[in-house]
Amino acid sequence: MYCLTDQMRRSALSIPCNIAEGKARNSNKDFIRFLRIAMGSLFEFQTQLEIAKNIEYINQQQFQRLWNFSTEIEVMLVSFTKKINV
């Protein structure tokens, strides 16, 4: 249980860290690459969230709340990536 919790924290923390690191780069190409890495971390978090629900570490209500937040972040990342990629 501790390992899953730790891994979920790491995945979630990786999202804004990659966005910040990408922003610090000098090109849109690098920034987009880091936004895609952030998306990968988000998908990793979503997978871990499903596992947490399946092993009953969290209940359906907790899962749905966190899932909704994660999909909002997903939409924002996709939109942001498209805007920069223009």
Side-chain angles (χ1 to χ4, degrees), residues 5-38:
T5 303
D6 183 55
Q7 192 58 41
M8 289 177 79
R9 284 186 183 132
R10 291 164 148 249
S11 297
L13 183 60
S14 180
I15 298 164
C17 289
N18 277 297
I19 295 168
E21 186 172 352
K23 179 62 178 154
R25 302 297 170 135
N26 291 328
S27 73
N28 283 349
K29 183 179 177 182
D30 281 339
F31 192 12
I32 290 167
R33 184 170 63 87
F34 277 90
L35 288 173
R36 289 183 176 142
I37 293 169

